[in-house]
Amino acid sequence: MRTPIDRPRRLRRSVAMRALVSEVHLRVDDLVAPLFVREGIDEPQPIESLPGVMQHTRESLRTEVAELKALGVKAVILFGVPAEKDAVGSGAYDPDGIVQVALRDLVADHGDEIVLMADLCVDEYTDHGHCGVVHDDGTGRMVVDNDATLEIYAKAAIAQADAGAHVVAPSGMMDGQVAVIREALDEAGHHDVAILAYAAKYASALYGPFRDAVDVTIADGGDRKGYQQDHRNAREAIREVELDIAEGADMVMIKPALAYLDVISDVAARVDVPVAAYHVSGEYAMIHAAGERGWIDTDAVALEHLTAIKRAGANIILTYFTRWFAEHANR
Ligand code: PBG
């Protein structure tokens, strides 16, 4: 029988052959573990909509990070849940705010042996749940005041850097936030603190479980569509990314990940800084929910998602699967 010349199956014959020709290799070095630390609790609290993820106490956070490091994880990003919230989110820049004290603990434990990132935003700290301070736009509608918020972000960046953050990650999608933060860090002598900009962050319905994790409800049934991106737009993401790089971002992020692989791919082709993607809480929760029902294989789908994100062009992936990957899938 005549063998067709084009026979792709030859390269799929065995596990070894498939490994040899695989284009993408997901490694634990690519992953960042998002971790929540909550002020004023004595025991870690499970988060119902994020199976396996905890609101940590200061102490349990130290244990978790030590274990992650032992498993080979190279980076974590911290989110704080304060005991008290207020109109301006002062816990985000208070030197004794929960993330700042947690950063000091982790620097004492690990120095620079693990990359310590801090999410830089105020929604976890404001009583109205917005990512900035709000004011009346003149028509009786309460909207986020972009420029007043920038002043708060500058203070938060300095507080996080003073506490030992190696990377600050502004996630509020305020215009000009990267420039203001870079200038504030430099003025305070923190030239070595890097900025991971949540550059193309969409107003996504996939952040639901995260809001449970940080106890955030947006006041009056509000949303973030006035400052986060519209999911219908991809070219706008390029503009956001280019602006952030021009303002001094060292790394740029696209968020969420799986519904925006086209954006990750476009950005990776155009920029020369590291590209990160956030596989967000809803993406994680959906996989677990369907897995618990026996409808999909949780582990296989997790691996498929994370590999796809890397294949699309992300160098760095923030994912709640980091610990699982380090323990069970890092081969
Ligand atoms: C804002 C922030 C959010 C997430 C990361 N940083 C929530 C939001 O924008 O509403 C979402 C992360 C996730 O869903 O896993 N501080």
Side-chain angles (χ1 to χ4, degrees):
M1 199 180 77
R2 197 172 163 273
T3 309
I5 291 167
D6 186 5
R7 199 166 168 86
R9 284 177 29 170
R10 286 184 191 116
L11 300 184
R12 299 179 196 141
R13 281 182 63 185
S14 64
V15 173
M17 184 72 88
R18 291 193 292 273
L20 179 72
V21 300
S22 64
E23 297 170 27
V24 177
H25 299 93
L26 193 66
R27 306 168 310 158
V28 70
D29 290 9
D30 304 323
L31 306 182
V32 181
L35 299 173
F36 301 99
V37 57
R38 180 167 167 185
E39 194 171 34
I41 52 169
D42 299 325
E43 292 293 326
Q45 310 285 320
I47 301 157
E48 210 191 344
S49 52
L50 282 177
V53 182
M54 298 282 173
Q55 287 181 332
H56 283 288
T57 66
R58 273 176 74 177
E59 219 32 60
S60 73
L61 181 75
R62 296 176 93 143
T63 309
E64 177 72 10
V65 173
E67 289 174 8
L68 287 169
K69 190 173 91 172
L71 287 163
V73 173
K74 302 295 184 299
V76 298
I77 182 163
L78 299 189
F79 295 89
V81 189
E84 309 276 341
K85 305 190 187 220
D86 60 26
V88 297
S90 59
Y93 56 81
D94 181 344
D96 296 319
I98 183 64
V99 161
Q100 283 71 258
V101 296
L103 283 166
R104 286 197 195 89
D105 290 341
L106 297 175
V107 171
D109 291 349
H110 305 292
D112 60 5
E113 288 171 14
I114 187 151
V115 178
L116 299 173
M117 304 185 173
D119 183 81
L120 198 171
C121 194
V122 292
D123 62 321
E124 297 90 353
Y125 302 90
T126 53
D127 49 18
H128 46 72
H130 276 293
C131 295
V133 287
V134 292
H135 69 165
D136 187 329
D137 70 353
T139 68
R141 224 164 46 107
M142 296 308 281
V143 298
V144 170
D145 181 341
N146 190 94
D147 295 3
T149 300
L150 294 181
E151 291 170 30
I152 295 175
Y153 285 7
K155 288 199 272 185
I158 293 170
Q160 292 175 341
D162 283 348
H166 305 122
V167 178
V168 298
S171 64
M173 289 295 279
M174 295 303 125
D175 289 338
Q177 61 185 11
V178 174
V180 163
I181 289 168
R182 184 71 268 161
E183 194 185 325
L185 288 172
D186 287 345
E187 268 174 23
H190 291 299
H191 305 286
D192 293 338
V193 172
I195 299 176
L196 165 60
Y198 285 70
K201 175 170 175 182
Y202 286 85
S204 172
L206 289 161
Y207 307 148
F210 174 92
R211 303 216 177 122
D212 294 341
V214 292
D215 296 333
V216 168
T217 312
I218 307 176
D220 305 323
D223 57 46
R224 307 207 194 293
K225 292 182 181 169
Y227 42 103
Q228 299 180 349
Q229 276 189 244
D230 187 311
H231 64 252
R232 290 168 290 197
N233 299 341
R235 286 184 302 146
E236 186 186 1
I238 302 292
R239 180 170 150 72
E240 285 281 4
V241 164
E242 285 176 349
L243 277 169
D244 280 2
I245 293 173
E247 289 180 26
D250 298 286
M251 302 179 268
V252 292
M253 184 169 8
I254 290 96
K255 173 180 174 201
L258 214 73
Y260 301 91
L261 293 181
D262 56 334
V263 177
I264 295 173
S265 171
D266 284 353
V267 168
R270 279 177 194 242
V271 307
D272 56 9
V273 299
V275 174
Y278 200 143
H279 187 250
V280 301
S281 57
E283 300 180 270
Y284 175 87
M286 287 194 295
I287 296 176
H288 272 282
E292 276 165 25
R293 292 187 169 206
W295 291 351
I296 61 171
D297 176 338
T298 306
D299 291 3
V301 176
L303 211 51
E304 195 172 324
H305 273 206
L306 298 179
T307 306
I309 296 163
K310 188 154 185 204
R311 193 188 65 234
N315 313 107
I316 300 165
I317 306 172
L318 287 75
T319 172
Y320 303 96
F321 282 113
T322 296
R323 185 174 178 134
W324 163 80
F325 182 87
E327 280 181 320
H328 303 290
N330 188 35
R331 56 176 93 88

